[in-house]
Amino acid sequence: MSAAETAPARYAGTRVPRVEDPRLLTGHGTYVDDVVRPGMLHAHFVRSPLARARIEGIDVTEALAVEGVHAVFTAEDLNPGVREQWYTLVGRDVPDTPRPPLAEGEVRFVGDPVALVVAADRYIAEDAAELVVVDYEPLPPVVDYATAREAAELVHAEYPRNVAGEMAGLPVEELAPVFDEAAFTVRETIHQQAYAAVPIETRGLVAEWSASTGEMTIWAATQSPHEVRLFCARLLGLDEHRVRVVMRDTGGGFGQKVMPQREDMCVMLASRKVRGPLKWIEDRRENLLSAGQARHEHADARMAFDADGSILAAAIDYVQDVGAYPIPWPVQTLPVVGLLFPGPYRVPQGTFATTAVFSNTVGRTAYRGPWQFESVAREVLLDIAARDMGMDPVELRRRNLLRRDELPLVNPCGMPYSDITPLETFEQALEMLDYGAFRREQERARAEGRFLGVGTCTYVEPTTGVMPLYATEGATIRIEPSGKVNVYVAGGSSGNSIETTVVQLTADALGVNIEDVNTIQGDTAITPFGGGTGGSRSGSMTAGAIAETASVLRERITAIAAHRLGVSAEDVELADGQARVPDKPEAVLSLAEVAATAYFQPENLPPGVQPGLEASGRYRARAPMIWANATHLCTCEVDVTTGEVKLLRHIVSEDCGPMINPSVVEGQIAGGTVQGIGGVLYEHLAYDEEGNPIATTFMDYLLPTSTEVPVIEYGHVETPGPGPGGYKGVGEGGAIGAPPAVVNAVADALAPFGAKITRLPVTPESIVTLVRRARTRGTVTG
């Protein structure tokens, strides 16, 4: 290989400090609420206090009379302004669910936006909102999604049985002979409660309409500025070049901020009707009330085994709650739960049925690993099966987990696995724990009246998919006359360290020092089009875009340097910000010298080389998806008197391919893992029987803190994927793998009581109830 083709990875794979940290850790980030514009007005929503009611009338007279109030908008003011309303991620032609900006005719959940008050400041807007009089005629709500298909009432009249959509594989009856003849079968209905993304920064938007130029500028807390731009252009009937979206820092998204929601639409529409920029910042109560739910679901799951414990078949009948206004179309991702239910195991036969059901609760939104329930159902079911068979759950998994040398392989539901290491990560996690030693410690503890448990989850995760918005990613790299490098990508800082990733990759690709690289992201006016953050795609897709673009500049730099040094381009090496000939110490040019030739001395360029050192490139995903996998292992101690669960250790063995930055990888794993722990033990977006939310503050909606979460331990197995650099996604795995591992650990601790955990969350109350029932039945062992 020639020197010119060699690009040694000096920074990729190392723990480069995050370039975002100096700004963020010193309080100098710029979030959407930090944006201040001349003459800016403030918006506040009037929201429904009822889960379902007919709107008989709205009187805004008193609110408009308040000094400082500029406007009060209702559905008849804003909704007619909608031109097109669809998301690039799902496409124009899907049979999407209803989504009016403001409630029209009927409110469908507590928190449904009914009117929008615009005032000189937020305080006036909130006070005036209290004076908007809405005449409601209460209607019976459909609160329980599990019975909604049999309910007499409909959330949306045009959706019979309250079914938003269904997708299924083979009829489960075709597998009946396998289940009937199997040596052992297990079947359970497993429930997961609703919980939410709760990003540290709530939703927010500043929209500034320039009537004189017909241009809209938006500052947004978003994961995808280019999607916001396309959506706004369609919503308002504008050309894309008339809309600019700026994303500075976003305090977490986790899927909730991938696409504009109804409140965002309202602000966009209202901004063209008021004199001045319009800001809306959601408070925490609104966020828990209206920003979206996730995870609310259940399934009838079953597996069949032979006499040795080998899996023969798996089937799942899955139902999810999509609330009143899901975002986006829920049916697109609905079947993924069924497709992935076989997991990283040898499963000869399998099928699924999946159903999305409306309810009079807040709409379902994407949340880190939206298909996560497939792992919850499968891994909980495996532990139950193992205990019923009198087998260690670890041994049952060992007999069925796929090995690297068995791939590629298509699972029975059609998912094409490759480049994963399920058994290898499983064994690494067990070794990190010293599984045998833990079991011995567990026996001693039980003899003392203490109850320790261990649980695992091994999963496979699709990353970097090729849905329309995510199919390509662009980058522009400009080497300035000084030799410094600017990299422009869609990106955006939302906690995923994409700025650090881009700087590392670019420094390696061009052979420059990392301190000489800067990245500009999140501004649609100057960055190339890109899908943003979602689907665990940012690292691998951005790596491809940078590689495509940098290769053009490398060729140009080496050609210019070779021409000036009087050598062949193949002899030139790019390293340390220099173009040099390795065996000729005197033959060296700084990148600034090469740039000076490219920009200011075009007459000295070699034939066929264009002036300047700026290039744009676009990467197209080569594979339908890139697979990552991991094993989570959790140990805990359960106080059977109080129901308290103390987590002792949490181990993650992850295969996300070669790591661009191990610290970033581990940070992503840690964040997702903590969210998963919260989803099992603490978080619950609960409603009462009338559809009233009962967890709208952090007094009621509990989150794990550093005192509840153990130090997370990491193991890495690196199997290159089919994408650039072999990189895979890692953003969602922690939230997928942690919940089943925690559930199984608690169930293992309670095994002497014959406890079976099939309903989340696992609360102290539920644990005490399980123990009490076991003692009443006299089924306590050990």
Side-chain angles (χ1 to χ4, degrees), residues 421-453:
T421 52
L423 183 60
E424 290 80 359
T425 60
F426 183 70
E427 296 293 358
Q428 184 183 73
L430 293 172
E431 182 179 352
M432 291 172 67
L433 173 67
D434 192 342
Y435 186 74
F438 179 85
R439 284 300 190 192
R440 292 188 292 274
E441 180 188 1
Q442 183 184 51
E443 289 180 12
R444 292 191 297 270
R446 284 178 179 173
E448 299 167 0
R450 296 169 50 234
F451 297 90
L452 307 183

Side-chain angles (χ1 to χ4, degrees), residues 505-550:
L505 292 169
T506 305
D508 277 344
L510 293 176
V512 299
N513 297 319
I514 197 167
E515 57 269 20
D516 290 336
V517 183
N518 178 57
T519 181
I520 296 93
Q521 305 184 12
D523 187 338
T524 63
I526 56 176
T527 62
F529 182 85
T533 300
S536 296
R537 67 182 295 276
S538 298
S540 58
M541 290 298 289
T542 302
I546 289 170
E548 293 279 347
T549 308

Side-chain angles (χ1 to χ4, degrees), residues 67 191 244 269 281 384 482 546 574 599 605 736 768 773:
E67 185 178 354
H191 299 259
R244 177 188 181 190
L269 291 161
I281 302 296
I384 292 171
S482 63
I546 289 170
L574 302 184
Y599 287 113
L605 292 172
I736 297 169
V768 170
R773 287 175 181 170

Side-chain angles (χ1 to χ4, degrees), residues 237-260:
L238 302 173
D239 293 331
E240 291 99 325
H241 71 273
R242 298 287 184 184
V243 181
R244 177 188 181 190
V245 175
V246 181
M247 169 199 175
R248 299 302 186 203
D249 293 305
T250 292
F254 314 121
Q256 192 178 87
K257 297 176 184 175
V258 167
M259 281 157 283

Side-chain angles (χ1 to χ4, degrees), residues 249-494:
D249 293 305
T250 292
F254 314 121
Q256 192 178 87
K257 297 176 184 175
V258 167
M259 281 157 283
Q261 296 197 36
R262 293 169 64 211
E263 291 90 345
D264 303 305
M265 300 180 210
C266 291
V267 176
M268 294 173 187
L269 291 161
S271 68
R272 295 214 295 180
K273 295 175 175 289
V274 298
R275 298 177 64 85
L278 184 59
K279 175 187 278 191
W280 168 65
I281 302 296
E282 179 182 60
D283 65 26
R284 181 58 63 187
R285 182 175 181 276
E286 286 181 294
N287 183 260
L288 290 169
L289 199 67
S290 305
Q293 64 164 308
R295 306 293 200 241
H296 203 197
E297 52 218 345
H298 74 272
D300 174 6
R302 65 178 88 173
M303 283 187 175
F305 302 83
D306 68 14
D308 295 325
S310 296
I311 300 172
L312 299 175
I316 187 169
D317 185 353
Y318 167 72
V319 184
Q320 69 174 208
D321 181 5
V322 301
Y325 296 109
I327 292 177
W329 183 51
V331 185
Q332 183 178 51
T333 55
L334 173 70
V336 180
V337 171
L339 294 169
L340 290 179
F341 180 62
Y345 297 88
R346 271 176 240 100
V347 181
Q349 298 187 67
T351 191
F352 65 92
T354 57
T355 307
V357 181
F358 288 115
S359 68
N360 287 119
T361 61
V362 65
R364 190 181 188 96
T365 57
Y367 178 39
R368 217 168 188 172
W371 58 87
Q372 167 258 25
F373 188 77
E374 52 82 23
S375 286
V376 172
R378 179 188 63 252
E379 298 295 317
V380 169
L381 196 65
L382 282 171
D383 264 40
I384 292 171
R387 290 194 181 88
D388 288 351
M389 287 190 280
M391 186 184 300
D392 190 314
V394 161
E395 182 56 33
L396 180 62
R397 286 174 171 81
R398 274 199 179 112
R399 296 183 187 187
N400 291 283
L401 277 167
L402 291 168
R403 302 184 308 271
R404 185 187 308 185
D405 61 11
E406 296 179 85
L407 303 170
L409 175 145
V410 178
N411 86 5
C413 297
M415 299 303 273
Y417 298 155
S418 63
D419 312 303
I420 55 173
T421 52
L423 183 60
E424 290 80 359
T425 60
F426 183 70
E427 296 293 358
Q428 184 183 73
L430 293 172
E431 182 179 352
M432 291 172 67
L433 173 67
D434 192 342
Y435 186 74
F438 179 85
R439 284 300 190 192
R440 292 188 292 274
E441 180 188 1
Q442 183 184 51
E443 289 180 12
R444 292 191 297 270
R446 284 178 179 173
E448 299 167 0
R450 296 169 50 234
F451 297 90
L452 307 183
V454 58
T456 71
C457 168
T458 302
Y459 66 89
V460 60
E461 173 193 0
T463 73
T464 316
V466 292
M467 291 185 289
L469 181 64
Y470 292 161
T472 70
E473 193 72 22
T476 295
I477 302 176
R478 182 166 68 218
I479 300 173
E480 305 291 351
S482 63
K484 306 295 184 181
V485 180
N486 276 320
V487 193
Y488 301 80
V489 296
S493 172
S494 58

Side-chain angles (χ1 to χ4, degrees), residues 402-740:
L402 291 168
R403 302 184 308 271
R404 185 187 308 185
D405 61 11
E406 296 179 85
L407 303 170
L409 175 145
V410 178
N411 86 5
C413 297
M415 299 303 273
Y417 298 155
S418 63
D419 312 303
I420 55 173
T421 52
L423 183 60
E424 290 80 359
T425 60
F426 183 70
E427 296 293 358
Q428 184 183 73
L430 293 172
E431 182 179 352
M432 291 172 67
L433 173 67
D434 192 342
Y435 186 74
F438 179 85
R439 284 300 190 192
R440 292 188 292 274
E441 180 188 1
Q442 183 184 51
E443 289 180 12
R444 292 191 297 270
R446 284 178 179 173
E448 299 167 0
R450 296 169 50 234
F451 297 90
L452 307 183
V454 58
T456 71
C457 168
T458 302
Y459 66 89
V460 60
E461 173 193 0
T463 73
T464 316
V466 292
M467 291 185 289
L469 181 64
Y470 292 161
T472 70
E473 193 72 22
T476 295
I477 302 176
R478 182 166 68 218
I479 300 173
E480 305 291 351
S482 63
K484 306 295 184 181
V485 180
N486 276 320
V487 193
Y488 301 80
V489 296
S493 172
S494 58
N496 60 343
S497 306
I498 191 63
E499 294 177 52
T500 301
T501 299
V502 165
V503 167
Q504 282 185 261
L505 292 169
T506 305
D508 277 344
L510 293 176
V512 299
N513 297 319
I514 197 167
E515 57 269 20
D516 290 336
V517 183
N518 178 57
T519 181
I520 296 93
Q521 305 184 12
D523 187 338
T524 63
I526 56 176
T527 62
F529 182 85
T533 300
S536 296
R537 67 182 295 276
S538 298
S540 58
M541 290 298 289
T542 302
I546 289 170
E548 293 279 347
T549 308
S551 65
V552 175
L553 289 174
R554 286 182 64 86
E555 183 178 348
R556 197 179 305 172
I557 292 165
T558 53
I560 295 171
H563 185 67
R564 286 194 53 179
L565 296 171
V567 298
S568 169
E570 288 72 22
D571 296 330
V572 177
E573 173 189 78
L574 302 184
D576 302 321
Q578 296 177 330
R580 61 198 183 197
V581 181
D583 56 354
K584 294 183 178 180
E586 74 284 357
V588 59
L589 291 172
S590 69
L591 193 54
E593 290 175 301
V594 175
T597 301
Y599 287 113
F600 308 134
Q601 302 163 23
E603 68 279 4
N604 293 332
L605 292 172
V609 174
Q610 68 182 65
L613 288 181
E614 182 174 331
S616 295
R618 182 157 294 275
Y619 173 72
R620 174 187 176 188
R622 305 287 192 262
M625 61 199 73
I626 297 174
W627 295 98
N629 69 277
T631 293
H632 283 240
L633 187 154
C634 177
T635 65
C636 72
E637 180 171 357
V638 177
D639 185 325
V640 297
T641 302
T642 66
E644 179 189 8
V645 176
K646 180 181 181 182
L647 301 183
L648 304 175
R649 295 179 69 181
H650 198 104
I651 296 167
V652 183
S653 173
E654 173 89 31
D655 185 350
C656 62
M659 293 181 286
I660 299 170
N661 188 321
S663 295
V664 169
V665 167
E666 291 168 4
Q668 290 295 300
I669 295 170
T673 297
V674 172
Q675 289 176 310
I677 290 170
V680 173
L681 299 178
Y682 303 103
E683 301 178 48
H684 190 185
L685 201 63
Y687 286 79
D688 68 15
E689 293 180 354
E690 299 301 317
N692 297 303
I694 56 177
T696 58
T697 73
F698 286 156
M699 290 291 289
D700 308 302
Y701 189 94
L702 304 182
L703 292 169
T705 70
S706 58
T707 60
E708 287 86 38
V709 177
V711 174
I712 299 168
E713 304 165 55
Y714 309 98
H716 299 290
V717 177
E718 296 190 7
T719 306
Y727 305 130
K728 305 175 183 179
V730 73
E732 296 168 284
I736 297 169

